[in-house]
Amino acid sequence: MSEKKSSTSTTRSNFTGKLGFVLAAAGSAVGLGNLWRFPYCAAKYGGGMFLFLYVILALTFGFSLMVAEIAIGRKTKLSAIGAFDKLKAEYYFIGVLASLVPIIITPYYSVIGGWVMKFLWMYITNPVEQIAMTNEQGLTVFEEFISSPVEPLIWFLLFLGITIFIIAIGVEKGIERSSKILMPALVLLVAVVAIYSCTLPGAIDGIKYYMMPNINDLSVKTVLSAMTQLFYSLSLAMGIMITYGSYMKKDINIETSVWQIEIFDTIIAFLAGLAIIPAVFACGSPENLKAGPSLMFIILPQVFTRMRAGRFIAILFFFLVFFAALTSSISLYETCISIIQDKFKQKRTPSIVFSLLICIIIGLLSSLGYGPLSMITFLGMQFLDLFDFISNSVLMPIVAFFTCIFVGYIIKPKTIIHEVESSGNEFKLKSLFTVVIKYIAPILIVIILIASILQAFGKISM
Ligand code: PHE
């Protein structure tokens, strides 16, 4: 979104047309969360069961929370902090908590963006076979890369630099316009790679693992990871959809827009999983299922070496992933700037510089955490995983919980229903919305949070 976001401005510009809103919100939603994070979470947390839970949660929880956030934004015409404050001043803190999330995510997002750029560059300058090789110590190209002290830092700073450059010279709008062509291209390309992966010999076990839920994989961890992945991927519980909603015109149907965003986002994530997980089995290395953040960078090079025109496809693929990451990081960075502007009443330039400082500090730790700082871990996590854990597994569920309480019991679901219906259409799933927001979602979040805290401290095993 390129309009200046400020809760103090009285005339807010709007997205042009119905599609404008959906495309802008989808541009923010579709990013590394779909392509990098979804496949590794699905691989790690039970394949089919993860996918099954994800879809169920998307249809109920994700839908309800997104409708609520967009409606809050459209009703108040303010971004998160101002919006909660305006509706009920005591609940101002939800906006503050929500705002912390993008401030934690943006830096490490840029670190991963840097990894993507490095791979794009490697495929431009090297033959595919070289990128799929392991060194004398058995390390993959990726493992060697992230454990080196300087190189990942340079790529991180480069990615961050590009994001800030685009924001500083104010061409985000142009970038977003190109996403109308590049996003569909991305879907197509991920589908091509997915089809190819599924036809590799040995892939069938991976397809089964990914698509068939196994009841033994049902655990609190799986539910928690599916839920947090949902927030992350749909840009929920971090104030972003409130801001988007604040720019949405009154005559646009929130309910259908939400379905469109959700379906688009979920299809891309599903295809990314299909491109990566069956290939893990086809490469004969199911131990990689637990690889976590490195999964995409270890498995895809294997797939590309086997594909005809692999190098060309790889370059195109990493370029499109880079582009999707860039549009998301612009949206994340813009959010950080507007939070600092609104909260500390700063001008735009000091806000950009301040956000940059935070990004560099958190980003440096995230990047070095895989190299020189790898001996420092918290609850068994390196810095990047730790930041991901704090934002996704702690802050987002808390924000989501309070948002549900706020909507369910303070402003009441009817406020949201009324806002949705103010565009002249009926809110078809309002009963589902009400039940989810008032009962199902808050109860589920509390159970999951308590169980995962107990588990983290070794009190119960699941
Ligand atoms: N939803 C984005 C993704 O899937 C991440 C993101 C979150 C982007 C918040 C912008 C704002 O990658």
Side-chain angles (χ1 to χ4, degrees), residues 25-38 54 101-102 105-106 109 229-236 238-241 244 265 324-325 327-333 335 396:
S28 157
V30 174
L32 293 171
N34 310 59
L35 301 154
W36 155 79
R37 203 174 184 283
F38 182 91
Y54 185 89
V101 178
I105 291 184
T106 311
Y109 205 86
Q229 173 59 24
L230 182 74
F231 296 155
Y232 189 96
S233 189
L234 292 174
S235 312
L236 293 173
M238 53 179 107
I240 300 228
M241 284 300 156
Y244 274 81
D265 192 80
T327 52
S328 290
S329 93
I330 291 171
S331 141
L332 275 166
Y333 203 89
T335 310
M396 285 159 141

Side-chain angles (χ1 to χ4, degrees), residues 159-222:
F159 185 86
L160 188 60
I162 295 175
T163 307
I164 291 170
F165 180 73
I166 290 169
I167 290 174
I169 63 168
V171 294
E172 308 95 295
K173 231 182 188 149
I175 299 287
E176 268 156 20
R177 230 171 275 138
S178 22
S179 72
K180 283 180 198 163
I181 303 162
L182 292 178
M183 281 294 144
L186 177 68
V187 182
L188 219 84
L189 202 72
V190 182
V192 168
V193 181
I195 293 170
Y196 188 81
S197 292
C198 291
T199 51
L200 287 171
I204 189 75
D205 288 336
I207 300 175
K208 279 193 203 143
Y209 175 72
Y210 182 47
M211 309 263 276
M212 295 195 345
N214 180 344
I215 192 75
N216 298 330
D217 290 323
L218 181 62
S219 69
V220 166
K221 241 191 182 145
T222 314

Side-chain angles (χ1 to χ4, degrees), residues 380-449:
M381 288 176 272
Q382 277 142 342
F383 278 109
L384 194 147
D385 303 63
L386 178 74
F387 292 130
D388 187 85
F389 175 79
I390 296 173
S391 58
N392 292 7
S393 301
V394 182
L395 278 172
M396 285 159 141
I398 293 176
V399 172
F401 172 77
F402 282 117
T403 309
C404 293
I405 299 299
F406 182 73
V407 172
Y409 302 93
I410 310 297
I411 61 169
K412 304 274 160 56
K414 65 173 188 314
T415 313
I416 301 293
I417 294 169
H418 185 256
E419 180 59 40
V420 173
E421 294 188 338
S422 67
S423 52
N425 51 280
E426 197 203 336
F427 185 177
K428 296 199 189 72
L429 293 180
K430 54 177 168 252
S431 325
L432 172 82
F433 168 80
T434 310
V435 174
V436 171
I437 286 284
K438 282 186 87 154
Y439 310 107
I440 302 181
I443 294 173
L444 184 70
I445 299 175
V446 170
I447 296 176
I448 296 291
L449 263 179

Side-chain angles (χ1 to χ4, degrees), residues 127-158:
V128 268
E129 296 75 29
Q130 214 159 313
I131 303 160
M133 283 193 315
T134 46
N135 70 5
E136 310 82 58
Q137 292 105 39
L139 292 182
T140 59
V141 170
F142 176 73
E143 286 162 330
E144 213 180 331
F145 162 65
I146 54 163
S147 55
S148 71
V150 185
E151 220 196 328
L153 281 186
I154 297 176
W155 289 103
F156 151 62
L157 292 173
L158 200 62

